[in-house]
Amino acid sequence: MQVVTTFVFYGMLGAERMGAFEWALMIVMFLALLCDLGLGSALVQDRDAGDQHFTAAFWVCLFFGLTTTALVVVMAPWLAALLSRQDTVGFEPVLRGMVLLVPFAAVSGLFRAKLQRDLRWRAMAAAEIAASVIHAATAFGLLAMGHGIMSAVHSAVAREAALLLGMAWTAHWLPATRFNIDAVRRILAFGLNLTGSRCLNYLNSNLARGVIFVSLGGTSLGYFSFANRLTLLPLVRISTVITRVFFPTFSAIVDDDALLRRAYLRSVQAVALAYWPVLATLFVLAEPVALLANTDMGPAVWPLRLLALATVIKAVGAGVGSVFLAKGRASWALYWSLFSLVVLIPALYWGGSHGVAGVCVALGATGVVFLALSQHLANRLLDIGFGAYFDQLWRPALVAAMTGGAVFGCSPLLPSTPILACAAGGVVALIAGLAALRLCAWKDITDIVASARGTSAG
């Protein structure tokens, strides 16, 4: 649904206006991350924390969320002039509207933590799916009524509000009115370390957008963000789900090193099997996919291809953060994020001087370095070697190569119309991908499915 909504927004609003929206969204979500304070994850990690700790965390997060929102609303004219010199008048209402989602996002993590501690994935998924449906319905309705870019703004706020209500409903918990400062102190150290790590990770993930917006303008940011939403952003969503599931799961089995190693290696393989064939297909079909969104999206074709390659690397490192947290090494995550930021700044500065494609190349090159180093740290914690790690990846690589190769071989025969080319290419990819899975990785697939159902002997 998010991919469909992306196509609709970019098709109806264009790259320039969506670039302003993406810039405001990046700023506001950073503020929401700060207001969360990492307290939800701290409550998942501390298995002895009770309702008084959840209640105290709720009121702290709500206070910071409301205060931050009020400050941004009051200072919106000044902030708009500072953050968007190209279109201050148009950016101000976007920023003022977007910041309304901060209080919802700040406290929803606590209800999610309740569900995570009880491993209630079905309830969490139901709340998030419902929020995505409301987001899409609100977006399409507002677009139909002619609200333009504010359709994207108001639908984003509606999604966060719906997500909070859904999480609260499924968690069957509401905070008490009492506030215990000692309960906050107990979880604050872990939360602040994690918040620092998350903020740096967020800057790492969005630094490219800042470089593009400042040096190349809003239209270039629109092209990059479109490519990002089809490659890296789905990975971010998947990584978020992985962290929500694997962090409490790994925490529960952290004393069983053998089981933890098997769970981690299987998770790496599962992500690669699910994601790599899709990225291979997207690389080949980048041109019709971009033109399907908008006939003016031609400059997004190579950023789309380059980010697809970068995401191949980043995908298999998605579970490393969960290992750090489960092993109680939140400080490692913080130091790693700081190191990543130091490396990314000069790399993206170089990339920005070579246009959007240069930024994408810089992201791919640094991704290779980051994966090698972060995986080395995870291997130390789990006592595994790179041989065992790569043994899980050669079959997903073969499946991706066969899928992408089949689509590439058929590409001269695809229709010239973008929608028909995407549809035909997708059918070829589906058939080739299923055949490759059956030939090369069927036992891995059956083992993963059995493990997910709780019926695996391993």
Side-chain angles (χ1 to χ4, degrees), residues 296-313:
D296 296 329
M297 293 296 290
V301 171
W302 270 106
L304 189 55
R305 286 176 173 154
L306 292 169
L307 286 184
L309 293 176
T311 309
V312 166
I313 303 299

Side-chain angles (χ1 to χ4, degrees), residues 410-433:
C410 295
S411 57
L413 305 176
L414 296 179
S416 58
T417 306
I419 188 170
L420 296 179
C422 290
V427 170
V428 172
L430 179 62
I431 295 172

Side-chain angles (χ1 to χ4, degrees), residues 190-443:
F190 183 96
L192 289 179
N193 268 320
L194 183 58
T195 298
S197 171
R198 283 177 170 175
C199 288
L200 290 173
N201 274 334
Y202 190 81
L203 290 175
N204 289 339
S205 301
N206 292 279
L207 188 60
R209 294 186 182 187
V211 169
I212 291 172
F213 187 81
V214 172
S215 61
L216 302 174
T219 303
S220 294
L221 178 59
Y223 295 139
F224 175 84
S225 295
F226 172 79
N228 183 71
R229 281 183 174 273
L230 297 183
T231 54
L232 287 171
L233 187 60
L235 175 63
V236 171
R237 301 296 189 197
I238 292 172
S239 299
T240 301
V241 173
I242 286 173
T243 301
R244 290 173 186 169
V245 175
F246 291 170
F247 170 38
T249 305
F250 288 175
S251 296
I253 62 173
V254 69
D255 294 327
D256 188 337
D257 287 339
L259 180 58
L260 184 57
R261 279 194 293 272
R262 290 199 303 273
Y264 175 72
L265 290 174
R266 179 162 289 173
S267 73
V268 170
Q269 185 183 60
V271 170
L273 282 171
Y275 212 46
W276 281 6
V278 176
L279 290 169
T281 303
L282 185 60
F283 180 89
V284 178
L285 298 178
E287 184 172 356
V289 167
L291 297 179
L292 176 62
N294 193 305
T295 54
D296 296 329
M297 293 296 290
V301 171
W302 270 106
L304 189 55
R305 286 176 173 154
L306 292 169
L307 286 184
L309 293 176
T311 309
V312 166
I313 303 299
K314 292 177 178 291
V316 290
V320 171
S322 298
V323 174
F324 290 170
L325 297 180
K327 286 288 190 177
R329 305 296 177 89
S331 58
W332 279 32
L334 175 61
Y335 300 147
W336 173 256
S337 301
L338 184 60
F339 166 75
S340 301
L341 186 63
V342 170
V343 173
L344 270 175
I345 289 174
L348 291 176
Y349 178 79
W350 171 87
S353 65
H354 293 78
V356 178
V359 171
C360 296
V361 169
L363 288 174
T366 54
V368 174
V369 176
F370 293 157
L371 176 63
L373 295 178
S374 64
Q375 190 58 51
H376 171 70
L377 295 175
N379 288 354
R380 285 181 55 189
L381 290 175
L382 297 174
D383 193 24
I384 60 177
F386 273 103
Y389 178 77
F390 287 121
D391 186 56
Q392 302 298 314
L393 295 178
W394 71 268
R395 284 180 291 272
L398 186 57
V399 171
M402 292 174 67
T403 304
V407 178
F408 179 77
C410 295
S411 57
L413 305 176
L414 296 179
S416 58
T417 306
I419 188 170
L420 296 179
C422 290
V427 170
V428 172
L430 179 62
I431 295 172
L434 290 176
L437 286 173
R438 187 65 181 87
L439 291 172
C440 306
W442 194 245
K443 184 179 185 305

Side-chain angles (χ1 to χ4, degrees), residues 92-164:
E92 182 182 336
V94 173
L95 180 62
R96 186 184 287 114
M98 286 293 295
V99 79
L100 297 179
L101 66 78
V102 169
F104 302 113
V107 298
S108 63
L110 300 170
F111 295 95
R112 183 181 291 110
K114 273 282 185 183
L115 297 171
Q116 284 180 295
R117 278 170 58 116
D118 297 333
L119 306 183
R120 295 178 58 199
W121 315 124
R122 188 187 302 272
M124 191 187 309
E128 295 189 344
I129 291 171
S132 293
V133 171
I134 290 173
H135 172 243
T138 305
F140 299 154
L142 292 174
L143 278 172
M145 289 186 287
H147 287 275
I149 192 62
M150 297 308 294
S151 304
V153 174
H154 296 321
S155 61
V157 176
R159 181 190 182 279
E160 290 299 328
L163 181 60
L164 173 59

